[in-house]
Amino acid sequence: MRLIFMGPPGAGKGTQAKVVADRFGIPAISTGDIFRANVSEGTELGVEAKRYMDAGEYVPDSITNRMVRNRIDEEDAVKGFLLDGYPRTLDQVEELDGMIRFTGHRLDTVIVLTVDPDELVRRLTERAESEGRSDDTEEVVRRRQEVYAEQTEPLIEVYRSRGLVREVNGIGEVDEVTERILDALADVQES
Ligand code: ADP
């Protein structure tokens, strides 16, 4: 099972990705989490990534692609994976296509979580207070929304034209949204 979760910052991708990946026995691979882990460990990658993250900008494709390639080469991802926060640019789409083709598999489905903009701002403001993420300030949140609209939203159409997109309403209780996602995945044939 090879899945992608897409949706704007605050759509709840991370929360849902972990639950859904567990159900399928595959790892949820979150580029944001990997970057944050590197930042807190003070690795070279973390130092580099932090500059971009704190500004609400995307980390350069060359860095991100290499990181994902290494991650999906790991043993636990051989049977499949759920990507959360990757791909986010057209270049990343092409890279991922290459990585999956190389393993002789295909991408099964792209789940797009939809949430209206007012709700997104409300959630991110709340998260800023509870988690204290350094990129959840109002200005940076706004920039992240812009970057998403400019660079990532167009990817939905790319995957839609391949017939891979399933949109899921991301508003409601966490469990409700999980159920909707599992329904959307019910008839997906594993590759
Ligand atoms: P969000 O809640 O905004 O979707 P994430 O936790 O997924 O945030 O990512 C946080 C930050 O990490 C992004 O704003 C970006 O700087 C960086 N990042 C995560 N994934 C990618 C990616 N695929 N390409 C480039 N940068 C990324």
Side-chain angles (χ1 to χ4, degrees), residues 7-10 13 30-33 35-36 52-53 56-61 64 84-89 92 124 127 133 135 144:
K13 293 185 298 291
S30 157
T31 43
D33 282 354
F35 284 133
R36 277 186 291 278
Y52 299 96
M53 293 167 79
E57 305 295 333
Y58 287 165
V59 177
D61 287 331
T64 310
D84 157 22
Y86 182 94
R88 272 177 148 108
T89 65
Q92 293 178 14
L124 289 169
R127 186 170 78 186
R133 246 175 68 167
D135 61 349
R144 277 161 52 210

